[in-house]
Amino acid sequence: MQKNIMTLERHFLEQQRKFPLARGEFTKLLTEIGFAAKVISREVNRAGLGNILGDAGVVNIQGEEVKKLDLMAQKMLVSTMDHLGILCGMASEEEDTFIEIPDSFPTGSYALNMDPLDGSSNIDVNVSIGTIFSIHRKISDCPRGDAADCLQAGSKQVAAGYVLYGSSTMLIYTSGHGVYGFTLDPCLGEFLLSHEAIRIPGRGRYYSINEGYADRWFPWTRNYINHAKKPPEAGGRGMSLRYVGSLVADFHRNLFTGGIFIYPGDTRADKGKLRLLFEAAPLAFVAEQAGGRATDGRVNIMDIQPENLHQRTPLIIGSADDVDDALRFIREETNETSHVR
Ligand code: AHM
Ligand code: MG
C-alpha cells in the first residue's frame, strides 16, 4: 500500500502553514483549479465516445478554429472559479476581453489567466493536450477588477502551472517555492503528490521546434538547430528532436529529461505564435523555479510587461545551459542585424 498519501488539498494546507503569508483563499483557489482539471480530464478521456470532438463552428480572436473541447474547458474553468469570491476577474486565450465576475457573486483579490485547452491541433486525435494557468494579485483600483489585473509581468505571478492530459493526468505547479507534481489517481479521483522539488537537468537530450517552418527561420534559428543536432565529434550537441505540437506536452517532457523548446519569431510572424500571458509566462515561472530559463531571445519572459491580453512572444525555454547556447547564437546574429524578435 502507498504510504503518506498527500492529496492536492492537504499539500496546499501544509504549504499554507509553512508560509504564514499564504492565506486560505489561495489554497481554495488552487484546489478549485484542481477540481476543474479533474472534470476536464474526464471529458478529454471520453471525448471519442460523446459528441464533443470537432470544431465548435466559431473562430477566436487569434483567427483560429475553436474546438468543442476548447469551449467545454473554458466554460468549466470559468464556472468553477467565478463564484468563489476569491477572483476579481479572469482572462483566457478563448475570450477576447477581460472576463468579469457576474454581479451576483462577490469578488476577491486575485486574477486568473488561462489557456483552457492548449494543443488544439491534437484535440481530435487523442494526443496529449493541457491546461495552463497563472495567478496574479489584484492591482487595479477598480472594485470589481479590470484588465490591468491580468496584464502583469510574469515576475508578478503568485502561482502558475499546468495540467497535462497525457498517458496519465498530471498537475504541475509552483507558487515560488519549488515545483511540485501531482498525478491523478483515476480510482480515487484525487490528485496525489508524485513529484517533489522538480529540477530540470542543466542540459538536455532533446530539442523541440517545428522544423516544418525551417524555410521561414531567421539565420540564428537555423544555425542553433544545426549546432544542436550535429554530432559531438563534429562539434555539435548531438541532440534528438521531439515535437508533439502541444506546448504543455513538449515542455513537460523537457522538464524531466532536460532539453530546449523553441517557438521562434520568423519571417512570417516576428513574434511567433505563442501567447505571453496564457502560455509563455506561466511556463517560464515553472521553468525558473525548476532551475531552467525562459527568454524571448532578448529578455527573460518573466520580465516582459504585457501591453495586451493576447500579445504573442517568441519563446525559448528549458534547460539553462541549452537556452544559454541558443542565446549565444542570437547574440552573434544581433551583432549583425536586429530582427531577432
Ligand atoms: P493553441 O493554443 O491554439 O493550441 O496553440 C498553441 C500550440 C502549442 O501548444 C504548440 O506548441 C503550438 O501551438 C504548435 O504550433 P505549430 O503547429 O505551429 O507548430
Ligand atoms: Mg494554447
Side-chain angles (χ1 to χ4, degrees):
M1 179 169 144
Q2 190 178 345
K3 280 192 261 165
N4 299 329
I5 288 184
M6 179 72 77
T7 62
L8 196 61
E9 193 167 5
R10 179 172 170 185
H11 166 83
F12 291 141
L13 287 169
E14 295 201 353
Q15 290 292 102
Q16 195 180 314
R17 281 196 284 271
K18 259 195 252 168
F19 303 105
L21 286 181
R23 286 176 291 171
E25 53 181 22
F26 187 60
T27 296
K28 176 85 178 141
L29 185 52
L30 289 167
T31 309
E32 291 298 321
I33 290 175
F35 172 75
K38 284 193 274 189
V39 179
I40 297 169
S41 177
R42 184 193 64 189
E43 295 302 316
V44 166
N45 277 316
R46 54 191 289 279
L49 299 172
N51 184 25
I52 47 173
L53 291 179
D55 295 338
V58 278
V59 168
N60 67 14
I61 191 171
Q62 334 276 341
E64 299 153 347
E65 269 305 332
V66 176
K67 301 277 182 188
K68 288 183 197 167
L69 272 177
D70 279 326
L71 283 190
M72 179 282 300
Q74 155 85 6
K75 282 188 190 148
M76 178 49 55
L77 277 158
V78 171
S79 63
T80 304
M81 310 307 295
D82 65 358
H83 60 280
L84 303 173
I86 298 172
L87 293 179
C88 63
M90 297 173 247
S92 163
E93 191 185 296
E94 299 304 338
E95 196 81 40
D96 301 2
T97 53
F98 179 70
I99 304 169
E100 292 176 7
I101 303 296
D103 287 343
S104 49
F105 299 136
T107 57
S109 47
Y110 291 100
L112 174 68
N113 289 339
M114 60 190 161
D115 181 352
L117 213 51
D118 178 64
S120 300
S121 68
N122 286 324
I123 286 180
D124 291 343
V125 288
N126 199 11
V127 172
S128 299
I129 48 182
T131 295
I132 308 176
F133 60 90
S134 153
I135 299 167
H136 287 277
R137 280 203 180 81
K138 179 178 186 296
I139 51 165
S140 70
D141 295 332
C142 183
R144 298 188 69 82
D146 65 23
D149 297 311
C150 292
L151 274 174
Q152 299 189 55
S155 56
K156 302 278 194 249
Q157 292 172 107
V158 291
Y162 60 87
V163 184
L164 172 67
Y165 311 105
S167 50
S168 57
T169 296
M170 282 192 77
L171 186 151
I172 306 283
Y173 94 100
T174 183
S175 58
H177 303 287
V179 180
Y180 292 88
F182 295 80
T183 302
L184 182 62
D185 182 323
C187 299
L188 291 178
E190 292 279 0
F191 279 108
L192 303 180
L193 182 65
S194 51
H195 299 76
E196 251 179 290
I198 298 169
R199 303 295 293 171
I200 184 168
R203 277 197 180 281
R205 277 180 282 156
Y206 300 124
Y207 71 94
S208 311
I209 189 169
N210 190 336
E211 290 218 50
Y213 302 148
D215 277 355
R216 327 175 190 162
W217 288 348
F218 293 132
W220 79 261
T221 316
R222 202 166 302 120
N223 294 339
Y224 171 69
I225 295 300
N226 283 340
H227 167 75
K229 60 189 181 187
K230 201 187 286 174
E233 53 276 20
R237 290 267 302 112
M239 295 167 88
S240 277
L241 168 66
R242 294 280 188 283
Y243 190 75
V244 174
S246 290
L247 173 61
V248 167
D250 282 311
F251 175 80
H252 185 78
R253 181 200 50 252
N254 292 352
L255 179 64
F256 285 90
T257 62
I260 185 167
F261 173 95
I262 304 179
Y263 205 113
D266 60 27
T267 54
R268 205 177 284 185
D270 68 349
K271 295 211 164 160
K273 170 185 182 186
L274 301 176
R275 295 75 170 177
L276 175 61
L277 287 175
F278 309 126
E279 292 162 328
L283 298 189
F285 193 15
V286 174
E288 286 196 2
Q289 282 291 313
R293 282 199 74 176
T295 171
D296 71 350
R298 286 194 329 164
V299 291
N300 286 341
I301 293 289
M302 296 279 276
D303 294 332
I304 303 174
Q305 173 59 46
E307 279 155 22
N308 64 70
L309 292 177
H310 295 275
Q311 182 170 330
R312 296 176 196 259
T313 178
L315 178 63
I316 304 164
I317 189 168
S319 293
D321 293 346
D322 291 321
V323 173
D324 284 346
D325 283 352
L327 284 172
R328 232 186 24 254
F329 281 82
I330 291 173
R331 274 194 295 269
E332 276 167 22
E333 179 171 326
T334 36
N335 286 340
E336 297 153 29
T337 65
S338 62
H339 56 214
V340 167
R341 303 197 77 191

